[in-house]
CSV table of all heavy atoms in Angstrom, one decimal:
chain,number,residue,atom,x,y,z
A,106,PHE,N,17.1,-24.7,-3.2
A,106,PHE,CA,16.0,-23.6,-3.5
A,106,PHE,C,16.7,-22.3,-3.8
A,106,PHE,O,17.6,-21.9,-3.1
A,106,PHE,CB,15.1,-23.5,-2.2
A,106,PHE,CG,14.0,-22.5,-2.4
A,106,PHE,CD1,12.9,-22.8,-3.2
A,106,PHE,CD2,14.1,-21.2,-1.8
A,106,PHE,CE1,11.9,-21.8,-3.4
A,106,PHE,CE2,13.1,-20.3,-2.0
A,106,PHE,CZ,12.0,-20.6,-2.8
A,107,ASP,N,16.2,-21.6,-4.8
A,107,ASP,CA,16.7,-20.3,-5.2
A,107,ASP,C,15.6,-19.3,-5.0
A,107,ASP,O,14.7,-19.1,-5.8
A,107,ASP,CB,17.1,-20.4,-6.7
A,107,ASP,CG,17.8,-19.1,-7.2
A,107,ASP,OD1,17.6,-18.1,-6.6
A,107,ASP,OD2,18.5,-19.2,-8.2
A,108,ALA,N,15.7,-18.6,-3.9
A,108,ALA,CA,14.7,-17.6,-3.4
A,108,ALA,C,14.5,-16.5,-4.5
A,108,ALA,O,13.4,-16.1,-4.8
A,108,ALA,CB,15.0,-17.0,-2.1
A,109,ALA,N,15.6,-16.0,-5.0
A,109,ALA,CA,15.5,-14.9,-6.0
A,109,ALA,C,14.8,-15.3,-7.2
A,109,ALA,O,13.9,-14.6,-7.7
A,109,ALA,CB,16.9,-14.3,-6.3
A,110,ARG,N,15.1,-16.5,-7.7
A,110,ARG,CA,14.5,-17.0,-8.9
A,110,ARG,C,13.0,-17.3,-8.7
A,110,ARG,O,12.2,-17.0,-9.5
A,110,ARG,CB,15.2,-18.3,-9.4
A,110,ARG,CG,14.7,-18.9,-10.7
A,110,ARG,CD,14.9,-18.1,-11.9
A,110,ARG,NE,16.3,-17.8,-12.1
A,110,ARG,CZ,16.9,-17.6,-13.2
A,110,ARG,NH1,16.2,-17.7,-14.3
A,110,ARG,NH2,18.2,-17.3,-13.3
A,111,TRP,N,12.7,-17.9,-7.5
A,111,TRP,CA,11.3,-18.1,-7.2
A,111,TRP,C,10.5,-16.8,-7.1
A,111,TRP,O,9.4,-16.7,-7.7
A,111,TRP,CB,11.2,-18.9,-5.8
A,111,TRP,CG,9.8,-19.2,-5.5
A,111,TRP,CD1,9.2,-20.4,-5.8
A,111,TRP,CD2,8.8,-18.4,-4.8
A,111,TRP,NE1,7.8,-20.3,-5.4
A,111,TRP,CE2,7.6,-19.1,-4.8
A,111,TRP,CE3,8.9,-17.1,-4.3
A,111,TRP,CZ2,6.5,-18.6,-4.2
A,111,TRP,CZ3,7.7,-16.6,-3.7
A,111,TRP,CH2,6.5,-17.4,-3.7
A,112,LEU,N,11.1,-15.8,-6.5
A,112,LEU,CA,10.4,-14.5,-6.4
A,112,LEU,C,10.2,-13.9,-7.8
A,112,LEU,O,9.1,-13.4,-8.1
A,112,LEU,CB,11.2,-13.5,-5.5
A,112,LEU,CG,10.5,-12.2,-5.3
A,112,LEU,CD1,9.2,-12.4,-4.5
A,112,LEU,CD2,11.4,-11.2,-4.6
A,113,GLY,N,11.2,-14.1,-8.6
A,113,GLY,CA,11.1,-13.6,-10.0
A,113,GLY,C,10.0,-14.3,-10.8
A,113,GLY,O,9.1,-13.6,-11.4
A,114,ASP,N,9.9,-15.6,-10.6
A,114,ASP,CA,8.8,-16.3,-11.3
A,114,ASP,C,7.5,-16.0,-10.8
A,114,ASP,O,6.5,-15.7,-11.5
A,114,ASP,CB,9.0,-17.8,-11.2
A,114,ASP,CG,10.2,-18.4,-11.9
A,114,ASP,OD1,10.7,-17.7,-12.9
A,114,ASP,OD2,10.7,-19.5,-11.6
A,115,TRP,N,7.3,-15.9,-9.4
A,115,TRP,CA,6.1,-15.7,-8.8
A,115,TRP,C,5.6,-14.2,-9.0
A,115,TRP,O,4.5,-14.0,-9.3
A,115,TRP,CB,6.2,-16.0,-7.3
A,115,TRP,CG,5.0,-15.8,-6.5
A,115,TRP,CD1,3.9,-16.5,-6.4
A,115,TRP,CD2,4.8,-14.6,-5.6
A,115,TRP,NE1,3.0,-16.0,-5.5
A,115,TRP,CE2,3.5,-14.8,-5.0
A,115,TRP,CE3,5.6,-13.5,-5.2
A,115,TRP,CZ2,3.0,-13.9,-4.1
A,115,TRP,CZ3,5.1,-12.6,-4.3
A,115,TRP,CH2,3.8,-12.8,-3.8
A,116,ALA,N,6.5,-13.3,-8.8
A,116,ALA,CA,6.2,-11.9,-8.8
A,116,ALA,C,5.8,-11.4,-10.2
A,116,ALA,O,5.1,-10.4,-10.3
A,116,ALA,CB,7.3,-11.0,-8.2
A,117,PHE,N,6.4,-12.0,-11.2
A,117,PHE,CA,6.1,-11.5,-12.5
A,117,PHE,C,5.0,-12.3,-13.2
A,117,PHE,O,4.9,-12.3,-14.4
A,117,PHE,CB,7.4,-11.5,-13.4
A,117,PHE,CG,8.2,-10.3,-13.0
A,117,PHE,CD1,9.1,-10.4,-11.9
A,117,PHE,CD2,8.1,-9.1,-13.6
A,117,PHE,CE1,9.9,-9.3,-11.5
A,117,PHE,CE2,8.9,-8.0,-13.3
A,117,PHE,CZ,9.8,-8.1,-12.2
A,118,SER,N,4.2,-13.0,-12.4
A,118,SER,CA,3.0,-13.8,-12.9
A,118,SER,C,1.8,-13.2,-12.3
A,118,SER,O,1.8,-12.7,-11.1
A,118,SER,CB,3.2,-15.3,-12.5
A,118,SER,OG,4.3,-15.8,-13.1
A,119,SER,N,0.7,-13.4,-13.0
A,119,SER,CA,-0.6,-12.9,-12.5
A,119,SER,C,-0.9,-13.6,-11.1
A,119,SER,O,-0.6,-14.8,-11.0
A,119,SER,CB,-1.7,-13.2,-13.5
A,119,SER,OG,-3.0,-12.9,-13.0
A,120,ASN,N,-1.6,-12.9,-10.2
A,120,ASN,CA,-1.9,-13.4,-8.9
A,120,ASN,C,-3.3,-13.1,-8.5
A,120,ASN,O,-3.7,-11.9,-8.5
A,120,ASN,CB,-0.9,-12.8,-7.9
A,120,ASN,CG,-1.0,-13.5,-6.6
A,120,ASN,OD1,-2.0,-13.5,-5.9
A,120,ASN,ND2,0.2,-14.1,-6.2
Side-chain angles (χ1 to χ4, degrees):
F106 181 75
D107 186 336
R110 183 64 59 147
W111 184 91
L112 183 66
D114 291 343
W115 177 78
F117 285 85
S118 298
S119 176
N120 191 298

